[in-house]
Amino acid sequence: MRRTRFRTTPVYAASLLAGLFASAIAVAQPAGSGDAATGQSAQSVALKLDPRLGEERAAIGEGRPVFGRGERLSGRTGRETTLEGDAEVRRAGTVIRADRLTYYEADDEVMAVGAVRVARQGNVFTGPQLLLKLDANEGWFETPTYYLGRYGGRGQAERMDFLGPDLTRLHRATYTTCEPDNPDWLLTSDTLTIDEASGDGTGRSASLYFKGLKILGAPVFAFPLSDERRSGFLVPSLSINSRSGGEVVVPYYWNIAPNRDFTFHPGVSARRGVRLGGEFRYLEPTYFGGIGFDVNPSDPKTGSTRFFYDVHNTFTNWSGWGGNWLVRGVSDDDYFVDYSRSILSSSERVLPRVFNASRSLGGDWSTLVSVQTWQAILDARPGPYERVPQVQLRNVQRDVRGFDVDTLLDATRFGAPRPGLVEGWRLVANPQFSYPIVRPGWSIVPKVSLHATSYQLTDPGATSSSSSRVVPTWSIDAGMVFERAAHLLGRDVTQTLEPRLFYVRTPYRDQSRIPVFDTTVADFNFAQLFSENTFIGNDRIADVDQLTAAAISRVIDPSSGAERLRFAVGQRLYFSGQRVAIPGMPPRTDERSDVLLAAAGEFGGGMSFDTGLQYSVRDGGIPRFSALWRYLPPDGRILNLGLRYRRDELGQLDTSWRWPVAPRWVMLGRLNYSFLGNGVDPISQVPNERGVIEAVLGVEYSSCCWGTSFVLQRFRTAQGQSTTAFFLQLELKGLARIGSDPFGILRRNIPGYRLPHDRPELPSRYFGYE
């Protein structure tokens, strides 16, 4: 089971103004006086692998020689040494240059005067004068100017004081990633103290200027020097939508322990008042999860307390058991309509309260214990049946003298979602035996199964309190694979032809007096063509005598094995009518199913397509059709065009894009439009109405050191109701993002949209080596 370590978004300005100021001045020290291996003979020296050897150890300066050069060398033995004229001292990746460099041996002090330049790991500090006691790391750097090459940042300070081995203080420091002549944004601080021993940085009187206008200020601030999580306030966010009005959220992050944290995000909105939200997370060796909540103590709209909660946990190896639980709930039906920030959350209608646990029983046996209840809201009421509980045993054996054996035993008690509905126990035994015959180029898989079911009902009404059925099924699945070398569009390719036949026979058993707890008609698609049962669930087993014929052809690039094109066609032939049905749904009477056609492929250059069509042999119509065309070149342009159609139920045009419209300007958006007004959207579960389901329109601007995103979103929350949201974010590259975050909305609505990097990828420490 995969577990993810916690990581919070670092305060970017902090991490840049931290170790780079301190560690960049790791100047040269005198070489050691001896070598531990000097007195050993050549025969006694042996090489061995050291797993710790790497760039970090390679940069350690202790015991490494110091190299110096200059046009003139002068000094007094045991007192001072001076290099003049293009003087340079280097050691362990650090280079110091100046007009004059003097080392005072008695004080262990270096004085650099005139055009002082310190370079380390691609970072460059320059100034008129530097004084530094090497061992004590005490001294000062006068009016330094710095360039942080790996980040593209630069700045200057009136003075830099070295206060000890791990303590540095800058006075009136600035930082920006813009060009130095006229920066668009600038961060200033009266004092900035870097304490590498504690891993903290502190500052006073910080101000952030954009286009000459002060937009943020802090009298006191603190930040970590690394990616380690620290407690403190996070960047506030501002959002605007038609339901809540303007809303300001000021999050606080509490780093409880290395494996536990809590984010508290109180907020206030113009129309909803005060909201309190939070998320607690934990990560242990055998379990992980979290608790989230959002509470409005007094909503002005309803005059009541409104809330949402989410409790989830995943565990493994609890005395051999593994599983999870998920409990979600809301205070009222309209909570998601009023408080959702996307169409996905606003469309939630059935909230789960589930517990699952499974384990191996040794050998080929495993067990599952599950409890499932629900909170149904709005048009989803009364909701699905509850499983209180479900106990399942399964035995899977492969290649037992050529046979595969799969046995399922299931006992479930179904609880009615509302009074007056039938409820009770269902017991299922479903053994299956198959004998796969697989050879190069062809395969045949005969299979036989038995589905035995028994019901014990506690509130039968007009249904028998006790009933059972036993239904056998046998099938045979046969396929072949042909391939040949071909030539397509000037390229050598491999083309395949893969015909497949699937025959199923299940006799009729009267199931009209059996209740329907968790069963529905299966959707007709390519996967369902090769299923024994036309229903999903254990309450109905269809009586079938049918043959499925299908074929797939693929075009494959022989050099890479990548599939370039795929075509598929399939149809069922029915040799008898179907008598088993779900109440309220008529049984099938056709002799042939509709024909399914599908095609997908890549044209190169970022273009691809995927289409599917269902053709009715009865009336010559097209009950279903879908098509998707995508253009995703490497330069970041995006164009998606899609169409979904289901006769009398669904008809939607869906397009999304990200496209340059001028230098540095990009337009992006999405339009999901319904041209039919019946049924329910199968993805969002929002009732279909003619008109716009969801629309997103935005622009992005990006310069060398800053960018901005403006996004307007409108989405349908319920029948006849919509929400409009507004997002505006300013990104100061290499520092922070200010405003409401639009990237989650853009990533969900524009397939292929790539988020900007939260921080640059650091190169090797030898980047910028001089």
Side-chain angles (χ1 to χ4, degrees):
M1 181 174 295
R2 178 179 296 175
R3 294 191 292 271
T4 304
R5 294 183 180 272
F6 294 158
R7 166 167 281 187
T8 59
T9 302
V11 180
Y12 209 29
S15 62
L16 288 176
L17 290 174
L20 292 172
F21 281 139
S23 65
I25 309 297
V27 292
Q29 300 182 16
S33 59
D35 190 332
T38 301
Q40 297 178 352
S41 64
Q43 289 80 6
S44 66
V45 176
L47 296 177
K48 65 177 181 179
L49 294 176
D50 186 343
R52 299 172 299 169
L53 185 61
E55 288 185 357
E56 293 301 321
R57 289 193 67 193
I60 297 176
E62 183 178 355
R64 293 183 176 275
V66 175
F67 298 92
R69 68 176 178 85
E71 296 177 356
R72 294 179 299 278
L73 173 64
S74 62
R76 291 177 292 175
T77 303
R79 299 189 64 179
E80 80 273 350
T81 303
T82 300
L83 291 170
E84 294 183 279
D86 193 21
E88 174 185 303
V89 172
R90 71 169 60 230
R91 181 185 182 207
T94 298
V95 181
I96 302 178
R97 294 191 178 98
D99 292 340
R100 184 175 74 249
L101 284 170
T102 302
Y103 174 64
Y104 298 95
E105 185 174 346
D107 298 325
D108 190 34
E109 187 175 82
V110 169
M111 170 70 78
V113 178
V116 181
R117 174 186 173 92
V118 180
R120 179 179 172 83
Q121 299 181 14
N123 305 314
V124 178
F125 287 66
T126 60
Q129 192 169 4
L130 167 69
L131 176 66
L132 185 66
K133 291 186 177 182
L134 297 180
D135 285 343
N137 195 43
E138 295 177 352
W140 46 264
F141 200 161
E142 183 179 322
T143 59
T145 299
Y146 37 85
Y147 172 71
L148 312 179
R150 295 190 296 171
Y151 295 90
R154 53 176 53 84
Q156 60 186 18
E158 286 188 0
R159 181 184 174 94
M160 179 183 294
D161 291 331
F162 305 100
L163 306 177
D166 301 306
L167 193 62
T168 306
R169 179 171 296 152
L170 292 93
H171 302 271
R172 299 194 178 277
T174 67
Y175 177 77
T176 185
T177 57
C178 299
E179 293 299 322
D181 294 338
N182 186 23
D184 289 334
W185 66 265
L186 188 69
L187 177 67
T188 67
S189 177
D190 280 357
T191 62
L192 183 66
T193 303
I194 309 299
D195 189 344
E196 293 184 278
S198 64
D200 292 324
T202 58
R204 293 183 179 275
S205 300
S207 299
L208 179 61
Y209 294 87
F210 178 69
K211 294 291 186 179
L213 178 66
K214 182 177 178 179
I215 59 176
L216 285 176
V220 179
F221 64 97
F223 51 88
L225 301 185
S226 65
D227 286 344
E228 294 182 5
R229 298 174 292 118
R230 300 295 177 94
S231 299
F233 285 98
L234 304 180
V235 178
S237 66
L238 171 67
S239 62
I240 302 175
N241 67 60
S242 58
R243 295 281 176 180
S244 301
E247 182 178 30
V248 177
V249 178
V250 183
Y252 181 83
Y253 178 77
W254 180 20
N255 182 35
I256 303 172
N259 61 333
R260 293 185 182 89
D261 65 4
F262 176 71
T263 304
F264 180 55
H265 42 85
V268 59
S269 63
R271 298 182 182 177
R272 300 292 175 183
V274 176
R275 290 176 61 187
L276 304 174
E279 182 184 15
F280 169 69
R281 303 185 301 175
Y282 53 89
L283 174 64
E284 299 289 348
T286 60
Y287 63 94
F288 62 93
I291 301 173
F293 66 91
D294 202 337
V295 179
N296 187 329
S298 180
D299 189 325
K301 175 183 176 182
T302 63
S304 62
T305 300
R306 307 183 71 182
F307 58 83
F308 162 79
Y309 59 87
D310 181 311
V311 181
H312 57 276
N313 181 83
T314 300
F315 61 92
T316 181
N317 197 26
W318 283 9
S319 299
W321 290 88
N324 67 283
W325 64 73
L326 172 62
V327 180
R328 308 183 76 216
V330 292
S331 57
D332 56 88
D333 281 10
D334 291 330
Y335 181 88
F336 288 126
V337 174
D338 292 336
Y339 288 97
S340 62
R341 289 180 171 85
S342 72
I343 194 171
L344 290 182
S345 60
S346 69
S347 64
E348 291 196 64
R349 298 293 187 267
V350 179
L351 304 178
R353 288 97 179 261
V354 301
F355 171 82
N356 300 293
S358 62
R359 66 166 297 165
S360 173
L361 299 179
D364 303 311
W365 285 94
S366 62
T367 185
L368 167 70
V369 179
S370 177
V371 176
Q372 299 180 9
T373 63
W374 319 90
Q375 179 187 4
I377 59 176
L378 295 175
D379 47 8
R381 290 181 170 174
Y385 271 89
E386 298 178 344
R387 303 180 185 218
V388 285
Q390 178 183 16
V391 180
Q392 191 176 98
L393 293 173
R394 188 167 187 179
N395 178 270
V396 179
Q397 301 180 60
R398 301 297 183 192
D399 197 15
V400 181
R401 297 187 178 182
F403 286 90
D404 290 346
V405 182
D406 189 342
T407 303
L408 176 68
L409 304 175
D410 184 285
T412 304
R413 186 190 182 278
F414 290 94
R418 63 175 174 82
L421 296 179
V422 62
E423 59 183 10
W425 283 92
R426 184 186 68 192
L427 308 177
V428 176
N430 182 210
Q432 303 178 55
F433 303 87
S434 61
Y435 190 82
I437 304 172
V438 181
R439 300 290 184 269
W442 62 275
S443 65
I444 297 178
V445 183
K447 180 180 178 182
V448 62
S449 65
L450 192 68
H451 201 287
T453 313
S454 176
Y455 291 83
Q456 299 294 326
L457 307 178
T458 58
D459 186 14
T463 307
S464 174
S465 62
S466 178
S467 59
S468 61
R469 59 144 194 252
V470 178
V471 184
T473 297
W474 54 89
S475 66
I476 184 168
D477 189 353
M480 303 184 72
V481 178
F482 302 93
E483 67 176 45
R484 66 169 186 172
H487 203 66
L488 179 66
L489 301 177
R491 296 182 178 180
D492 293 329
V493 298
T494 299
Q495 182 183 11
T496 70
L497 178 61
E498 306 168 32
R500 184 177 177 184
L501 295 174
F502 180 65
Y503 175 77
V504 182
R505 177 74 172 95
T506 301
Y508 170 75
R509 296 292 187 269
D510 183 12
Q511 303 168 51
S512 59
R513 299 182 63 81
I514 294 177
V516 177
F517 291 131
D518 63 352
T519 301
T520 186
V521 177
D523 187 48
F524 185 63
N525 52 45
F526 270 97
Q528 210 279 324
L529 278 177
F530 300 96
S531 174
E532 287 92 350
N533 193 9
T534 58
F535 298 105
I536 296 177
N538 291 313
D539 296 318
R540 291 293 184 271
I541 306 299
D543 55 314
V544 295
D545 185 9
Q546 63 190 30
L547 175 68
T548 297
I552 299 176
S553 181
R554 310 174 197 267
V555 176
I556 300 172
D557 184 345
S559 61
S560 64
E563 182 181 281
R564 298 303 182 189
L565 292 171
R566 180 178 71 254
F567 303 94
V569 59
Q571 185 183 27
R572 270 190 189 145
L573 303 177
Y574 302 110
F575 303 116
S576 64
Q578 181 176 315
R579 301 166 61 187
V580 177
I582 291 178
M585 297 183 182
R588 173 195 51 78
T589 58
D590 296 334
E591 295 182 354
R592 291 181 296 170
S593 74
D594 293 346
V595 178
L596 295 180
L597 300 166
E602 298 181 0
F603 295 120
M607 288 189 291
S608 63
F609 74 97
D610 193 343
T611 62
L613 181 146
Q614 179 179 334
Y615 174 77
S616 174
V617 296
R618 176 192 294 178
D619 56 21
I622 300 178
R624 294 187 186 183
F625 175 74
S626 66
L628 175 64
W629 181 81
R630 288 183 175 177
Y631 179 57
L632 303 173
D635 59 9
R637 289 178 295 167
I638 299 172
L639 181 59
N640 301 299
L641 299 173
L643 170 65
R644 292 187 296 159
Y645 171 76
R646 184 178 298 176
R647 186 163 53 189
D648 300 328
E649 295 183 19
L650 173 72
Q652 292 182 3
L653 292 170
D654 198 344
T655 179
S656 58
W657 65 91
R658 182 184 183 275
W659 207 265
V661 293
R664 299 185 178 181
W665 287 93
V666 174
M667 179 172 287
L668 40 80
R670 180 199 181 189
L671 178 63
N672 187 0
Y673 181 84
S674 174
F675 55 86
L676 287 181
N678 302 317
V680 175
D681 186 283
I683 296 178
S684 68
Q685 297 301 309
V686 174
N688 280 321
E689 298 176 1
R690 192 185 302 271
V692 175
I693 297 175
E694 184 171 15
V696 175
L697 183 63
V699 293
E700 290 180 342
Y701 174 82
S702 180
S703 71
C704 63
C705 63
W706 68 277
T708 186
S709 300
F710 166 78
V711 176
L712 185 66
Q713 179 194 27
R714 183 174 178 82
F715 58 93
R716 192 174 298 170
T717 55
Q719 192 165 8
Q721 301 185 60
S722 297
T723 294
T724 301
F726 168 80
F727 302 87
L728 177 62
Q729 186 175 80
L730 174 66
E731 179 186 8
L732 306 179
K733 296 180 180 179
L735 182 67
R737 297 189 181 112
I738 304 170
S740 50
D741 181 8
F743 296 117
I745 299 298
L746 297 175
R747 183 170 53 183
R748 185 184 63 80
N749 281 277
I750 306 176
Y753 182 85
R754 295 184 291 271
L755 299 183
H757 293 298
D758 286 337
R759 61 186 302 160
E761 181 179 353
L762 298 183
S764 163
R765 69 181 307 106
Y766 301 108
F767 167 79
Y769 174 79
E770 296 187 4

